[in-house]
Amino acid sequence: MKLKHLAGLSLLAPSVAFAAEKPNIVFFIVDDMGWVDSSVAYGEQVYPNNLHFHTPNMQRLASQGVMLTNAYACPVSTPTRTSLITGVNAAHSRITNWTSTMRDTPSDATGGAVAMAQTGVNTDISGAFERPEWNLNGMSPEEGVENTLYATPLPKLLKGAGYYTIHVGKAHWASAGTPGASPYNMGYLVNVAGTIAGMPRSYQSEDNYGNTPQLWNHLAVQNMTEYYGTGIHLTEALTREALKTLDFPIKQDIPFYLYFAHYATHTPIQRDNRFIQRYLDMGLDEGQARYASMVEGVDKSLGDLLDYLEAKGVADDTIIIFMTDNGGNAENKAKGGVRFMHNLPLRNGKGSVYEGGIRVPLMVKWSGKVAPDTRVNTPVICEDLFPTILGMAGIKSADVVQEVDGKSLVNLVTKGSQLAAKAARKGEIANQREANAFVVPKSVSGIDPERALVFHYPHQWKPYDLVDIDYLSAVRKGDWKLVYRMRTGALELYNLKEDIGEQNNVAAQNPAKVKELAAELSTRLREWNSPMPKLRATGKNIPLPDQL
Amino acid sequence: MKLKHLAGLSLLAPSVAFAAEKPNIVFFIVDDMGWVDSSVAYGEQVYPNNLHFHTPNMQRLASQGVMLTNAYACPVSTPTRTSLITGVNAAHSRITNWTSTMRDTPSDATGGAVAMAQTGVNTDISGAFERPEWNLNGMSPEEGVENTLYATPLPKLLKGAGYYTIHVGKAHWASAGTPGASPYNMGYLVNVAGTIAGMPRSYQSEDNYGNTPQLWNHLAVQNMTEYYGTGIHLTEALTREALKTLDFPIKQDIPFYLYFAHYATHTPIQRDNRFIQRYLDMGLDEGQARYASMVEGVDKSLGDLLDYLEAKGVADDTIIIFMTDNGGNAENKAKGGVRFMHNLPLRNGKGSVYEGGIRVPLMVKWSGKVAPDTRVNTPVICEDLFPTILGMAGIKSADVVQEVDGKSLVNLVTKGSQLAAKAARKGEIANQREANAFVVPKSVSGIDPERALVFHYPHQWKPYDLVDIDYLSAVRKGDWKLVYRMRTGALELYNLKEDIGEQNNVAAQNPAKVKELAAELSTRLREWNSPMPKLRATGKNIPLPDQL
């Protein structure tokens, strides 16, 4: 597939008749659900945290598809979502943090008047740094909107190719008062509940999902009036809405693209009454149990979707992509347990470029193409999904205004999974640990297992210091990962194969590798003109890793 | 067309492929805009009120289509909208008043806890009456929802017949917590801004259309985040949204049904800055000028729609139905002018069964079928639009669960308008006055000009008495109209041909006609088990007109 950068040209979607031979595609994305936040074990073993969760439908999906065990997203929501919809790395799109509901309002804490006003805390605690200039209004499908990335969104291309494009749930690509605020401008034909909100004001129908005089703010969930006061949890309500939208394209035999973006399991951490008792009985504390009940709610939703597709006879014609938008939130006290331990063995969580913040669940089911119950371990990143989904849809070329960084994973998930299945049949893979070490060569997948993946968070997340989250940048290449601590200028090196928990900084022992990765990261950030914090004293950007 | 009452059967929409030969249909409905609230003269002459308005696009539509000069709606919003979507008369559906946003919450003032809480006024001022039992949760497309009419909605049938069904604007068929709250449950594939709200909290983008901490309530307009703070009036924003939705079906050559329901010109009466100066310059007071600017905003919207359809080359394939949902609001002080004079020569306004409350603009453009620039004067009523639109869509039979009261107007607007055009060519119609007296025989239209049309408002509208609005019922038959004043038991008779202003009660001179119409009205109300106020003293319904 050849993607062209046509700067300055307006994109006209080609007029293409419905093509019934195209596979349906469901992108099922969960919010803030970490890598170990399910009973699906993406790791070399089942970790203790996996045992807190009961997610039979995620297991069902894993048994039907391929699991990508080294899949990455950005540390926070919007950058992942804009990378998915544009194919551009967050450091390149300059959308490196989440978008505020209101336009031109920085969400990063330092210099963030909003955060200060909301918390009453002086947010200027980083002292030395001013916040970077970044595309704080998010992504725009129209040109000329200040502080946005102008890009051609994925659903517009799918719609142009004859897909019936559906948005259900959380959008969060852009701030109010800009075109990116509306899924309809992104190429979606149907929208339920997609707005500027990055989280729901409430999951509870008793709260009208935040639409009460006491609770209302811009996070109140829209399009949900039929469920007010009905006792139906938001996750269930969105599921019913999603299934409703599929009725028409299935009856009319139109291929559909359903982007089903659950608000769960983002804060507020509120119990799903259908499932909580199991977790209380397990001895989890109230916060842990609430969170686990929310995860099971999402699992039920996935199961209902799979059941529906089977009942309608289209399960085999429908690709399912399951993913989450960043690592589990390990910082929020409402989740119970011990702070920053939620993602073990991974270090830290949401907001951080350590593995706990960026390594995410990713599974793909594709009947006849993806070998079931397999694992593929090549590192992949959220922007890869843009060309991947175009490839799945059979779109050979597309005119887009942005430079796409992602690589199609189609061969990786199809031929790669088939290779893994073959190896398992031949006895070359005996267990999960070996499966996680199995390499799909680039000659088969088209994806270099040694390509560099960049993560960049030049922000302060909260109006208080979080040293393993704020102002971090990282690059992963093969087994190696370099972390750049912008506050101190320190460069850390980890070997993820031996040390998935990033506990042993081996920079001192591997100066050449540090230099190589620092150059790699710097080259990207320089080329992309990525946002960097400024030194308050000088008003200038802080140094790149190769300038230290 | 044969409509069957299939009680107890669930309706399965037939699987029909897209049928490109079907005409597109746009139902353009305006809120609270009265019969004389435009420069289009539906009457025998141009009335002084017509001169307050500048609506060139409504005139353009009139020149391209047929004007139905004796068209009726219900006195308030929801009953009209539920009659349109079900084909059932409001006295029959038992949805005789507007639905509150919240479930099980009477909107009628007497006994209306909400109104009392909102106003601090003791609403029990009618003294003798208790509010009737009615379907105060509105219409439901699902069975078994308390206090609703269970019915098969029009868009569901259109969707089943291959139409791409689009809802933009005000819905207001049902209260929160019931299926009728969502356009998606009514058979719409696309929804923008349709909720439980019967009016917008604000038309102004500076107010985020009501989505601010100061303003928010359940009337805040949803799905509009992209326009917050942009200076774009709600009427314009909805227009842009509506046109966006048409792009896809036009490109894919799928017939579309666009139900484009403006929130304007309902209260709040807020200026449309694009147009207000004209009206201030005319010497209208601030309230009148604001209102007229809102009407011109709607006119601009209509023009933009017509332009768009022409530019896309589908104007001749697209039927336009233009209507309003009830008479102009003559009671609201914010509209300026003199209260209850806004609809002159018609008596009273919104809420009332006098002509000012129920006679509404109605025009139909249908290239090649409807003779342009014509008038048809046969009395018609909102529930007629249900079978009419099915007929326009070529749907010969439909399984619906409700008993449909409306009659198809297809022959009236096609053959009837052609007959009127022929008469004009032959010189039988020389002017507007004669055109308004021209009769289309039943043999041509299928509609008996003498059929009885029933209007029923057994409610108190406001938390204060309005004697020409509260507790009135009426029947029109030919030139005659009987009004039943429930409070006093008085029966009034008017000859609309001679007395369009209902100023001369000729009941005493025509006892036989009074008796005939009283029997007609009573028969309907009895047969339909229509809601009636109860006498507080006895707890029993007040008498029907033939029991007086």
Tab-separated table of all heavy atoms in Angstrom, chain A residues 16 18 164 177-178 182 184-185 189-191 211-212 216 218 222-223 225-226 228 244 248 252, chain B residues 16 18 177-178 182 184-185 189-191 211-212 216 218 222-223 225-226 228 244 248 252:
chain	number	residue	atom	x	y	z
A	16	VAL	N	-17.298	5.294	-4.388
A	16	VAL	CA	-17.160	3.858	-4.583
A	16	VAL	C	-18.461	3.198	-4.151
A	16	VAL	O	-18.991	3.515	-3.095
A	16	VAL	CB	-15.998	3.302	-3.723
A	16	VAL	CG1	-15.862	1.800	-3.899
A	16	VAL	CG2	-14.705	4.000	-4.076
A	18	PHE	N	-20.938	0.301	-2.704
A	18	PHE	CA	-20.773	-0.656	-1.624
A	18	PHE	C	-20.150	-1.935	-2.164
A	18	PHE	O	-20.538	-2.437	-3.201
A	18	PHE	CB	-22.122	-0.989	-1.002
A	18	PHE	CG	-22.638	0.091	-0.126
A	18	PHE	CD1	-23.937	0.542	-0.270
A	18	PHE	CD2	-21.838	0.670	0.847
A	18	PHE	CE1	-24.421	1.542	0.537
A	18	PHE	CE2	-22.318	1.668	1.660
A	18	PHE	CZ	-23.614	2.108	1.509
A	164	TYR	N	-19.806	1.289	5.812
A	164	TYR	CA	-20.789	1.945	6.673
A	164	TYR	C	-20.076	2.147	8.012
A	164	TYR	O	-19.781	1.192	8.723
A	164	TYR	CB	-22.003	1.041	6.821
A	164	TYR	CG	-23.179	1.646	7.543
A	164	TYR	CD1	-24.020	2.544	6.890
A	164	TYR	CD2	-23.458	1.317	8.870
A	164	TYR	CE1	-25.114	3.088	7.544
A	164	TYR	CE2	-24.543	1.860	9.526
A	164	TYR	CZ	-25.373	2.744	8.867
A	164	TYR	OH	-26.460	3.284	9.505
A	177	GLY	N	-15.393	23.393	19.710
A	177	GLY	CA	-15.192	24.529	18.829
A	177	GLY	C	-14.265	24.236	17.664
A	177	GLY	O	-13.901	25.142	16.916
A	178	THR	N	-13.901	22.956	17.492
A	178	THR	CA	-13.075	22.563	16.343
A	178	THR	C	-13.761	21.380	15.650
A	178	THR	O	-14.516	20.639	16.283
A	178	THR	CB	-11.655	22.134	16.762
A	178	THR	OG1	-11.713	20.837	17.378
A	178	THR	CG2	-11.044	23.130	17.741
A	182	SER	N	-16.362	16.380	16.440
A	182	SER	CA	-17.513	15.571	16.039
A	182	SER	C	-17.111	14.376	15.192
A	182	SER	O	-16.468	14.518	14.150
A	182	SER	CB	-18.497	16.421	15.234
A	182	SER	OG	-19.489	15.592	14.648
A	184	TYR	N	-18.894	12.945	13.190
A	184	TYR	CA	-19.441	13.112	11.833
A	184	TYR	C	-18.424	13.767	10.901
A	184	TYR	O	-18.458	13.557	9.689
A	184	TYR	CB	-20.737	13.925	11.872
A	184	TYR	CG	-21.896	13.153	12.457
A	184	TYR	CD1	-22.597	13.626	13.565
A	184	TYR	CD2	-22.296	11.938	11.898
A	184	TYR	CE1	-23.658	12.912	14.107
A	184	TYR	CE2	-23.353	11.215	12.426
A	184	TYR	CZ	-24.040	11.709	13.528
A	184	TYR	OH	-25.087	10.999	14.055
A	185	ASN	N	-17.546	14.575	11.435
A	185	ASN	CA	-16.522	15.204	10.595
A	185	ASN	C	-15.346	14.284	10.308
A	185	ASN	O	-14.494	14.605	9.487
A	185	ASN	CB	-16.012	16.484	11.256
A	185	ASN	CG	-17.097	17.530	11.364
A	185	ASN	OD1	-17.975	17.594	10.510
A	185	ASN	ND2	-17.058	18.329	12.413
A	189	LEU	N	-20.603	7.818	9.733
A	189	LEU	CA	-21.987	8.055	9.318
A	189	LEU	C	-22.917	8.058	10.510
A	189	LEU	O	-23.983	8.668	10.474
A	189	LEU	CB	-22.429	6.963	8.340
A	189	LEU	CG	-21.720	7.001	6.990
A	189	LEU	CD1	-22.025	5.738	6.202
A	189	LEU	CD2	-22.158	8.228	6.210
A	190	VAL	N	-22.557	7.334	11.528
A	190	VAL	CA	-23.388	7.215	12.723
A	190	VAL	C	-22.528	7.596	13.916
A	190	VAL	O	-21.356	7.225	13.983
A	190	VAL	CB	-23.880	5.763	12.915
A	190	VAL	CG1	-24.752	5.639	14.149
A	190	VAL	CG2	-24.609	5.276	11.682
A	191	ASN	N	-23.099	8.324	14.823
A	191	ASN	CA	-22.399	8.617	16.065
A	191	ASN	C	-23.335	8.440	17.246
A	191	ASN	O	-24.429	8.970	17.260
A	191	ASN	CB	-21.872	10.055	16.088
A	191	ASN	CG	-21.337	10.443	17.457
A	191	ASN	OD1	-20.665	9.638	18.109
A	191	ASN	ND2	-21.641	11.650	17.913
A	211	ASN	N	-25.812	13.710	33.652
A	211	ASN	CA	-26.759	14.737	33.232
A	211	ASN	C	-27.761	15.040	34.340
A	211	ASN	O	-28.949	14.742	34.238
A	211	ASN	CB	-27.472	14.292	31.951
A	211	ASN	CG	-26.531	14.171	30.772
A	211	ASN	OD1	-26.170	15.180	30.158
A	211	ASN	ND2	-26.102	12.955	30.472
A	212	THR	N	-27.243	15.610	35.419
A	212	THR	CA	-28.092	16.098	36.499
A	212	THR	C	-27.562	17.473	36.892
A	212	THR	O	-26.393	17.790	36.655
A	212	THR	CB	-28.047	15.180	37.745
A	212	THR	OG1	-26.767	15.339	38.394
A	212	THR	CG2	-28.255	13.719	37.398
A	216	TRP	N	-23.565	17.790	36.359
A	216	TRP	CA	-23.234	18.087	34.964
A	216	TRP	C	-21.925	18.862	34.803
A	216	TRP	O	-21.676	19.851	35.500
A	216	TRP	CB	-24.342	18.890	34.278
A	216	TRP	CG	-23.995	19.097	32.833
A	216	TRP	CD1	-24.252	18.249	31.807
A	216	TRP	CD2	-23.247	20.194	32.275
A	216	TRP	NE1	-23.716	18.737	30.645
A	216	TRP	CE2	-23.093	19.921	30.889
A	216	TRP	CE3	-22.686	21.345	32.799
A	216	TRP	CZ2	-22.411	20.787	30.034
A	216	TRP	CZ3	-22.000	22.201	31.945
A	216	TRP	CH2	-21.871	21.922	30.572
A	218	HIS	N	-18.840	19.100	31.179
A	218	HIS	CA	-18.715	18.711	29.773
A	218	HIS	C	-18.433	17.229	29.586
A	218	HIS	O	-18.345	16.755	28.449
A	218	HIS	CB	-17.642	19.546	29.087
A	218	HIS	CG	-18.075	20.954	28.826
A	218	HIS	ND1	-19.056	21.268	27.917
A	218	HIS	CD2	-17.699	22.131	29.386
A	218	HIS	CE1	-19.247	22.567	27.907
A	218	HIS	NE2	-18.450	23.122	28.791
A	222	GLN	N	-23.526	12.192	26.306
A	222	GLN	CA	-24.636	12.594	25.442
A	222	GLN	C	-25.260	11.384	24.748
A	222	GLN	O	-24.676	10.307	24.696
A	222	GLN	CB	-24.138	13.617	24.413
A	222	GLN	CG	-23.595	14.884	25.087
A	222	GLN	CD	-23.327	16.023	24.115
A	222	GLN	OE1	-23.378	15.862	22.906
A	222	GLN	NE2	-23.038	17.205	24.662
A	223	ASN	N	-26.464	11.586	24.218
A	223	ASN	CA	-27.186	10.567	23.430
A	223	ASN	C	-27.655	9.364	24.247
A	223	ASN	O	-27.914	8.300	23.672
A	223	ASN	CB	-26.321	10.043	22.260
A	223	ASN	CG	-25.912	11.126	21.302
A	223	ASN	OD1	-24.750	11.268	20.984
A	223	ASN	ND2	-26.866	11.927	20.866
A	225	THR	N	-30.272	9.528	26.657
A	225	THR	CA	-31.475	9.852	27.436
A	225	THR	C	-32.401	8.659	27.626
A	225	THR	O	-33.084	8.576	28.643
A	225	THR	CB	-32.269	11.007	26.785
A	225	THR	OG1	-32.616	10.644	25.453
A	225	THR	CG2	-31.448	12.285	26.762
A	226	GLU	N	-32.444	7.746	26.676
A	226	GLU	CA	-33.374	6.619	26.811
A	226	GLU	C	-33.034	5.716	27.990
A	226	GLU	O	-33.868	4.914	28.405
A	226	GLU	CB	-33.427	5.806	25.519
A	226	GLU	CG	-32.176	4.995	25.263
A	226	GLU	CD	-32.179	4.305	23.913
A	226	GLU	OE1	-32.746	3.215	23.813
A	226	GLU	OE2	-31.600	4.869	22.984
A	228	TYR	N	-31.767	6.881	31.016
A	228	TYR	CA	-31.767	7.578	32.312
A	228	TYR	C	-32.674	6.845	33.310
A	228	TYR	O	-33.824	6.533	33.002
A	228	TYR	CB	-32.289	9.016	32.171
A	228	TYR	CG	-31.396	9.987	31.416
A	228	TYR	CD1	-30.192	9.592	30.848
A	228	TYR	CD2	-31.776	11.322	31.271
A	228	TYR	CE1	-29.397	10.491	30.154
A	228	TYR	CE2	-30.984	12.234	30.575
A	228	TYR	CZ	-29.798	11.801	30.010
A	228	TYR	OH	-29.025	12.699	29.308
A	244	LYS	N	-27.446	-2.200	17.968
A	244	LYS	CA	-28.532	-1.629	17.177
A	244	LYS	C	-28.039	-1.089	15.835
A	244	LYS	O	-28.696	-1.234	14.817
A	244	LYS	CB	-29.155	-0.460	17.961
A	244	LYS	CG	-30.499	-0.730	18.567
A	244	LYS	CD	-31.124	0.560	19.062
A	244	LYS	CE	-30.714	0.910	20.457
A	244	LYS	NZ	-31.264	2.195	20.940
A	248	PHE	N	-28.780	-2.556	10.437
A	248	PHE	CA	-29.000	-2.055	9.075
A	248	PHE	C	-27.940	-2.550	8.086
A	248	PHE	O	-28.283	-3.152	7.053
A	248	PHE	CB	-29.066	-0.531	9.101
A	248	PHE	CG	-29.261	0.099	7.764
A	248	PHE	CD1	-30.500	0.081	7.143
A	248	PHE	CD2	-28.206	0.724	7.125
A	248	PHE	CE1	-30.682	0.669	5.900
A	248	PHE	CE2	-28.380	1.316	5.878
A	248	PHE	CZ	-29.619	1.289	5.269
A	252	GLN	N	-28.660	-5.025	4.944
A	252	GLN	CA	-28.465	-4.503	3.586
A	252	GLN	C	-27.193	-5.043	2.943
A	252	GLN	O	-26.876	-4.683	1.816
A	252	GLN	CB	-28.414	-2.963	3.619
A	252	GLN	CG	-29.671	-2.297	4.149
A	252	GLN	CD	-30.841	-2.373	3.172
A	252	GLN	OE1	-30.667	-2.719	2.023
A	252	GLN	NE2	-32.032	-2.068	3.648
B	16	VAL	N	-35.063	-5.150	2.311
B	16	VAL	CA	-35.245	-4.645	0.960
B	16	VAL	C	-33.944	-3.980	0.535
B	16	VAL	O	-33.383	-3.196	1.278
B	16	VAL	CB	-36.395	-3.610	0.929
B	16	VAL	CG1	-36.563	-3.051	-0.473
B	16	VAL	CG2	-37.689	-4.224	1.420
B	18	PHE	N	-31.519	-1.395	-1.401
B	18	PHE	CA	-31.683	0.018	-1.723
B	18	PHE	C	-32.365	0.157	-3.082
B	18	PHE	O	-32.000	-0.504	-4.038
B	18	PHE	CB	-30.327	0.713	-1.785
B	18	PHE	CG	-29.744	0.952	-0.441
B	18	PHE	CD1	-28.434	0.594	-0.161
B	18	PHE	CD2	-30.499	1.550	0.566
B	18	PHE	CE1	-27.883	0.823	1.083
B	18	PHE	CE2	-29.949	1.777	1.807
B	18	PHE	CZ	-28.644	1.409	2.063
B	177	GLY	N	-35.616	7.790	29.713
B	177	GLY	CA	-35.830	6.478	30.320
B	177	GLY	C	-36.803	5.607	29.552
B	177	GLY	O	-37.176	4.537	30.020
B	178	THR	N	-37.214	6.063	28.368
B	178	THR	CA	-38.097	5.252	27.518
B	178	THR	C	-37.476	5.168	26.127
B	178	THR	O	-36.712	6.054	25.718
B	178	THR	CB	-39.516	5.860	27.395
B	178	THR	OG1	-39.464	7.001	26.523
B	178	THR	CG2	-40.053	6.276	28.755
B	182	SER	N	-34.978	8.143	21.943
B	182	SER	CA	-33.864	8.134	20.995
B	182	SER	C	-34.336	7.959	19.561
B	182	SER	O	-35.014	6.982	19.231
B	182	SER	CB	-32.899	7.001	21.331
B	182	SER	OG	-31.952	6.855	20.291
B	184	TYR	N	-32.680	6.801	17.284
B	184	TYR	CA	-32.184	5.513	16.782
B	184	TYR	C	-33.218	4.402	16.978
B	184	TYR	O	-33.229	3.431	16.227
B	184	TYR	CB	-30.860	5.140	17.465
B	184	TYR	CG	-29.689	5.994	17.006
B	184	TYR	CD1	-28.927	6.723	17.908
B	184	TYR	CD2	-29.346	6.057	15.665
B	184	TYR	CE1	-27.859	7.504	17.479
B	184	TYR	CE2	-28.284	6.837	15.222
B	184	TYR	CZ	-27.533	7.555	16.139
B	184	TYR	OH	-26.487	8.322	15.707
B	185	ASN	N	-34.045	4.535	17.975
B	185	ASN	CA	-35.081	3.517	18.186
B	185	ASN	C	-36.294	3.712	17.284
B	185	ASN	O	-37.172	2.858	17.230
B	185	ASN	CB	-35.533	3.515	19.648
B	185	ASN	CG	-34.420	3.086	20.572
B	185	ASN	OD1	-33.580	2.273	20.203
B	185	ASN	ND2	-34.397	3.643	21.772
B	189	LEU	N	-31.228	6.093	11.082
B	189	LEU	CA	-29.861	5.579	11.034
B	189	LEU	C	-28.881	6.607	11.550
B	189	LEU	O	-27.802	6.264	12.027
B	189	LEU	CB	-29.494	5.219	9.589
B	189	LEU	CG	-30.238	4.019	9.026
B	189	LEU	CD1	-29.996	3.900	7.530
B	189	LEU	CD2	-29.803	2.744	9.739
B	190	VAL	N	-29.226	7.865	11.390
B	190	VAL	CA	-28.353	8.949	11.802
B	190	VAL	C	-29.156	9.851	12.730
B	190	VAL	O	-30.336	10.108	12.479
B	190	VAL	CB	-27.895	9.780	10.582
B	190	VAL	CG1	-26.974	10.916	11.020
B	190	VAL	CG2	-27.219	8.901	9.549
B	191	ASN	N	-28.524	10.300	13.774
B	191	ASN	CA	-29.165	11.284	14.644
B	191	ASN	C	-28.185	12.381	14.995
B	191	ASN	O	-27.071	12.115	15.429
B	191	ASN	CB	-29.644	10.629	15.945
B	191	ASN	CG	-30.118	11.670	16.954
B	191	ASN	OD1	-30.786	12.638	16.592
B	191	ASN	ND2	-29.753	11.500	18.213
B	211	ASN	N	-24.887	24.390	27.169
B	211	ASN	CA	-23.933	23.511	27.847
B	211	ASN	C	-22.876	24.324	28.592
B	211	ASN	O	-21.699	24.340	28.223
B	211	ASN	CB	-23.285	22.574	26.814
B	211	ASN	CG	-24.275	21.602	26.215
B	211	ASN	OD1	-24.633	20.605	26.837
B	211	ASN	ND2	-24.764	21.902	25.024
B	212	THR	N	-23.333	25.014	29.613
B	212	THR	CA	-22.436	25.724	30.521
B	212	THR	C	-22.910	25.444	31.942
B	212	THR	O	-24.083	25.118	32.158
B	212	THR	CB	-22.448	27.256	30.296
B	212	THR	OG1	-23.692	27.782	30.790
B	212	THR	CG2	-22.299	27.616	28.820
B	216	TRP	N	-26.911	24.922	32.154
B	216	TRP	CA	-27.295	23.564	31.786
B	216	TRP	C	-28.580	23.081	32.452
B	216	TRP	O	-28.777	23.251	33.646
B	216	TRP	CB	-26.182	22.559	32.122
B	216	TRP	CG	-26.581	21.189	31.641
B	216	TRP	CD1	-26.384	20.676	30.409
B	216	TRP	CD2	-27.317	20.210	32.386
B	216	TRP	NE1	-26.944	19.427	30.322
B	216	TRP	CE2	-27.532	19.115	31.508
B	216	TRP	CE3	-27.831	20.145	33.676
B	216	TRP	CZ2	-28.214	17.965	31.899
B	216	TRP	CZ3	-28.528	19.006	34.064
B	216	TRP	CH2	-28.711	17.927	33.172
B	218	HIS	N	-31.810	19.860	31.100
B	218	HIS	CA	-32.008	18.802	30.104
B	218	HIS	C	-32.336	19.335	28.717
B	218	HIS	O	-32.482	18.550	27.771
B	218	HIS	CB	-33.086	17.830	30.573
B	218	HIS	CG	-32.617	16.929	31.680
B	218	HIS	ND1	-31.654	15.966	31.477
B	218	HIS	CD2	-32.933	16.876	32.988
B	218	HIS	CE1	-31.418	15.345	32.618
B	218	HIS	NE2	-32.173	15.876	33.556
B	222	GLN	N	-27.527	18.644	22.509
B	222	GLN	CA	-26.443	17.675	22.423
B	222	GLN	C	-25.877	17.603	20.997
B	222	GLN	O	-26.494	18.077	20.050
B	222	GLN	CB	-26.945	16.294	22.871
B	222	GLN	CG	-27.439	16.308	24.323
B	222	GLN	CD	-27.710	14.924	24.894
B	222	GLN	OE1	-27.718	13.934	24.189
B	222	GLN	NE2	-27.937	14.861	26.203
B	223	ASN	N	-24.689	17.016	20.887
B	223	ASN	CA	-24.024	16.774	19.588
B	223	ASN	C	-23.544	18.034	18.888
B	223	ASN	O	-23.335	18.023	17.668
B	223	ASN	CB	-24.960	16.007	18.616
B	223	ASN	CG	-25.365	14.659	19.144
B	223	ASN	OD1	-26.531	14.330	19.169
B	223	ASN	ND2	-24.406	13.884	19.602
B	225	THR	N	-20.825	20.032	20.055
B	225	THR	CA	-19.589	20.533	20.655
B	225	THR	C	-18.685	21.236	19.643
B	225	THR	O	-17.976	22.171	20.003
B	225	THR	CB	-18.792	19.403	21.339
B	225	THR	OG1	-18.502	18.392	20.384
B	225	THR	CG2	-19.573	18.797	22.480
B	226	GLU	N	-18.723	20.817	18.386
B	226	GLU	CA	-17.807	21.438	17.421
B	226	GLU	C	-18.115	22.909	17.182
B	226	GLU	O	-17.282	23.631	16.635
B	226	GLU	CB	-17.832	20.664	16.097
B	226	GLU	CG	-19.101	20.846	15.315
B	226	GLU	CD	-19.162	19.982	14.080
B	226	GLU	OE1	-18.632	20.362	13.043
B	226	GLU	OE2	-19.762	18.904	14.177
B	228	TYR	N	-19.219	25.080	19.665
B	228	TYR	CA	-19.155	25.900	20.880
B	228	TYR	C	-18.237	27.103	20.657
B	228	TYR	O	-17.101	26.958	20.176
B	228	TYR	CB	-18.597	25.094	22.061
B	228	TYR	CG	-19.491	23.999	22.604
B	228	TYR	CD1	-20.722	23.695	22.041
B	228	TYR	CD2	-19.091	23.247	23.714
B	228	TYR	CE1	-21.514	22.678	22.552
B	228	TYR	CE2	-19.880	22.230	24.230
B	228	TYR	CZ	-21.086	21.945	23.637
B	228	TYR	OH	-21.863	20.932	24.146
B	244	LYS	N	-24.344	17.879	5.750
B	244	LYS	CA	-23.272	16.888	5.840
B	244	LYS	C	-23.802	15.460	5.706
B	244	LYS	O	-23.182	14.616	5.073
B	244	LYS	CB	-22.583	17.020	7.207
B	244	LYS	CG	-21.224	17.629	7.188
B	244	LYS	CD	-20.539	17.466	8.537
B	244	LYS	CE	-20.884	18.551	9.510
B	244	LYS	NZ	-20.264	18.364	10.841
B	248	PHE	N	-23.314	11.369	1.874
B	248	PHE	CA	-23.139	9.922	1.688
B	248	PHE	C	-24.249	9.296	0.828
B	248	PHE	O	-23.968	8.656	-0.178
B	248	PHE	CB	-23.040	9.236	3.048
B	248	PHE	CG	-22.876	7.756	2.977
B	248	PHE	CD1	-21.667	7.193	2.614
B	248	PHE	CD2	-23.932	6.910	3.263
B	248	PHE	CE1	-21.509	5.814	2.540
B	248	PHE	CE2	-23.784	5.535	3.199
B	248	PHE	CZ	-22.571	4.987	2.841
B	252	GLN	N	-23.717	7.655	-2.850
B	252	GLN	CA	-23.943	6.216	-3.021
B	252	GLN	C	-25.252	5.925	-3.740
B	252	GLN	O	-25.612	4.765	-3.918
B	252	GLN	CB	-23.954	5.526	-1.637
B	252	GLN	CG	-22.649	5.661	-0.879
B	252	GLN	CD	-21.538	4.798	-1.439
B	252	GLN	OE1	-21.777	3.940	-2.282
B	252	GLN	NE2	-20.316	5.038	-0.998
